[in-house]
Amino acid sequence: MAQKKKVAVILSGCGVFDGSEIHEATLTLLALDMKGAVSVVAAPDIPQTKVHNHYTHQDEPQEKRNCLVEAARIARGSIVKVSELKVSELDAAIIPGGYGAALNLSNFATSGADLQVEPSVATFLREMHSQGKPLAALCIAPPILAKILKDAGVRGARITIGNDKGVASQIEALGQTHVDCPATSCVVDEKNMIVTTPAYMLASGIAELWQGVQATVDALLKLCK
């Protein structure tokens, strides 16, 4: 019997405007489970860059929250720090979207192509890439992979965030090649072991999102050695 693939799912909090997009995170976990893979949910143990009230649609500047603690809500408490992940025990990794990817896992929201990736996340992803293990990212998270690849000397990796010209230009500025893609599909770069999908950058609803997430997880697992 084939051994189940173990996939790290990197979260950035809980909620689309200040953490992980909950639909994207949950459907990622569902797709992995339906394919017989084991999810290892992780998040950096750091303060969120900001806290957003998803009911009033206002930021709460006086409130402080922790990415790991908030992401544990999605993981039903079964979560580890990114710094505790062991690359040798994993087959792949995937990063759901939500603005937390651009606020907490990186500073893409404020720095664009000059982004820096959160240190524990950067260390983990660089090691995964150096060992030839596939990586996937959804929605606004692909620029993180573009930066990791750039730092590894990779140019021209095929990456998508959908068709947003502003974000696409930042991926190009990081030395990678942006490929337009619908929400129901994904872009697979077999050479660089990268899979990306637009998710809610384009998806009109959860059904379209599901198709793209399924395609991404299927492609990611096929890249596993």
Side-chain angles (χ1 to χ4, degrees):
M1 185 175 178
Q3 188 173 3
K4 290 186 175 183
K5 301 297 184 184
K6 292 182 70 173
V7 181
V9 180
I10 310 299
L11 302 184
S12 58
C14 180
V16 58
F17 296 116
D18 58 8
S20 288
E21 209 295 318
I22 297 171
H23 296 175
E24 293 178 11
T26 302
L27 292 184
T28 294
L29 295 171
L30 175 60
L32 287 166
D33 191 48
M34 288 177 66
K35 282 291 183 178
V38 176
S39 296
V40 181
V41 185
D45 184 11
I46 58 171
Q48 290 185 184
T49 300
K50 70 175 185 178
V51 175
H52 186 83
N53 185 319
H54 287 70
Y55 177 66
T56 63
H57 302 288
Q58 300 291 323
D59 289 344
E60 300 281 0
Q62 303 306 314
E63 190 168 349
K64 307 298 180 187
R65 296 191 185 183
N66 177 281
C67 287
L68 180 68
V69 173
E70 295 305 303
R73 296 175 181 271
I74 298 173
R76 293 170 55 86
S78 181
I79 194 167
V80 299
K81 299 175 184 179
V82 170
S83 60
E84 296 172 344
L85 290 170
K86 294 180 172 58
V87 171
S88 61
E89 297 177 357
L90 295 164
D91 297 289
I94 186 167
I95 312 171
Y99 284 111
L103 290 167
N104 304 325
L105 302 187
S106 74
N107 61 351
F108 180 71
T110 55
S111 298
D114 293 325
L115 82 160
Q116 296 297 315
V117 180
E118 191 281 325
S120 69
V121 174
T123 297
F124 170 70
L125 294 175
R126 286 170 185 153
E127 189 173 349
M128 288 288 287
H129 174 71
S130 71
Q131 293 192 22
K133 297 188 176 184
L135 304 171
L138 286 59
C139 196
I140 197 63
I144 293 173
L145 299 188
K147 169 64 172 173
I148 294 298
L149 291 171
K150 177 186 178 183
D151 289 349
V154 175
R155 299 292 183 271
R158 299 172 70 252
I159 291 175
T160 191
I161 47 78
N163 58 14
D164 183 285
K165 293 192 185 325
V167 182
S169 69
Q170 299 302 308
I171 287 173
E172 299 274 352
L174 284 161
Q176 315 310 338
T177 300
H178 183 266
V179 181
D180 284 0
C181 178
T184 54
S185 187
C186 64
V187 170
V188 182
D189 185 326
E190 294 185 5
K191 177 182 177 183
N192 294 299
M193 305 287 276
I194 297 292
V195 187
T196 49
T197 189
Y200 271 136
M201 291 289 286
L202 282 182
S204 61
I206 198 168
E208 275 194 2
L209 174 68
W210 172 234
Q211 293 180 66
V213 171
Q214 272 192 307
T216 300
V217 167
D218 287 352
L220 180 69
L221 293 176
K222 286 177 182 174
L223 289 176
C224 293
K225 295 178 181 178

